[in-house]
Amino acid sequence: DTGTNRNAGNMGTTLRLNDFWTVRAEADSDSFDVPVRAVTGHIHGRSLDMDVEWRASELRSAHIGLQRLLFNEGNQRAAISGVWDERIWTSPRWQTSIRVQGWESSNSLDENRPYFNPKHDFSLGPRGTFDWLTWQRYDRSFQQRVEFYIAPYWQAAYKTEDSLSAHYEQFWKLGSGLEWHYGVTWNSQPYDGVK
C-alpha cells in the first residue's frame, strides 16, 4: 500500500481435540484476503477465520470453514467452505487423490466496488491431484505434482459458468531442511459473467 504505514496484528490458535478432530481460529487486523485492487484503493479489512477438521487417516479427511471479513468502507463478507479429501490410489512412488470442495460467499454492499464483489456466489466441484515421486536417494528427492479442477460457478444476476484450473509443480529436496519448489497454474474463472 504505497504511501501508507499500517500496524497490523494476527493471532491464531489450533486445538487438537484428539487423533481425529482439530479446531482452528485466526483473527487478523489487516487481512491478506482483501483483494489487491481494494488495497491499492486504500481499502483494508479485518477478518476472523474458523475451521473444523476431521482426519480419519492420511487417506481421508474433511473440513468446514467459516470466514467473516469486515472492510473499512462498510462491506461485510461472509463465506463458508467445505472439503472432502480422499486418496484413491497409493503406491511407493505414486499417489492419486480426489477432493470435492465447495464454497459460498455473500457481501453486504452491492457489486459497485473497486474490487470483485458479487452479492452472492457459489461453487462446488472436484479437484484431482497426482503426485509422482520421480527420483529419491537417501534424503534427496525429486517429486512432481499435477492438479486439475473443474466446477460450475454461480454468481447472482449472471448465468452459471465453468471454473477451470490446471497446475503443475516440481519439488527438489536437496537434503535435510533444504527444498526448492516451483510451478505454473492456468485458471479460467468468470467474473461478472466474463472469463
Side-chain angles (χ1 to χ4, degrees):
D1 187 5
T2 58
T4 304
N5 293 319
R6 296 177 57 84
N7 293 322
N10 176 287
M11 184 170 57
T13 185
T14 299
L15 179 61
R16 199 169 303 277
L17 302 174
N18 54 36
D19 289 342
F20 304 104
W21 292 95
T22 304
V23 178
R24 295 180 187 89
E26 183 176 0
D28 198 336
S29 69
D30 197 6
S31 178
F32 283 110
D33 291 327
V34 173
V36 173
R37 282 187 175 181
V39 173
T40 57
H42 302 290
I43 298 171
H44 300 275
R46 301 183 317 262
S47 66
L48 176 64
D49 293 272
M50 298 177 65
D51 184 80
V52 177
E53 180 183 33
W54 169 78
R55 179 171 294 279
S57 66
E58 289 183 358
L59 305 177
R60 180 178 298 135
S61 66
H63 84 83
I64 187 166
L66 300 170
Q67 182 187 56
R68 186 79 168 171
L69 183 56
L70 307 175
F71 294 85
N72 66 345
E73 38 83 91
N75 189 29
Q76 298 182 26
R77 179 175 294 168
I80 183 169
S81 62
V83 172
W84 180 272
D85 209 344
E86 186 85 25
R87 188 176 311 157
I88 58 174
W89 178 264
T90 302
S91 71
R93 294 194 173 269
W94 186 266
Q95 295 178 356
T96 303
S97 300
I98 296 293
R99 169 181 283 190
V100 177
Q101 58 189 56
W103 53 268
E104 185 272 335
S105 74
S106 62
N107 291 278
S108 64
L109 295 182
D110 61 21
E111 293 88 351
N112 190 21
R113 307 280 107 207
Y115 53 91
F116 181 62
N117 190 57
K119 190 71 175 165
H120 298 286
D121 62 350
F122 171 81
S123 184
L124 174 67
R127 179 181 301 272
T129 303
F130 308 93
D131 279 301
W132 178 29
L133 181 60
T134 312
W135 173 83
Q136 183 175 18
R137 182 171 174 84
Y138 300 107
D139 60 351
R140 296 180 298 162
S141 64
F142 173 62
Q143 181 180 348
Q144 300 179 75
R145 177 177 297 154
V146 177
E147 287 186 348
F148 297 101
Y149 174 71
I150 182 169
Y153 172 77
W154 172 82
Q155 179 185 343
Y158 296 94
K159 66 178 184 174
T160 301
E161 296 198 37
D162 289 332
S163 176
L164 308 167
S165 176
H167 177 73
Y168 173 74
E169 193 168 12
Q170 292 183 347
F171 301 85
W172 285 95
K173 188 172 182 186
L174 304 175
S176 180
L178 181 60
E179 180 178 302
W180 291 91
H181 63 97
Y182 48 86
V184 60
T185 301
W186 174 85
N187 284 313
S188 176
Q189 168 73 40
Y191 293 96
D192 294 336
V194 178
K195 291 200 175 189

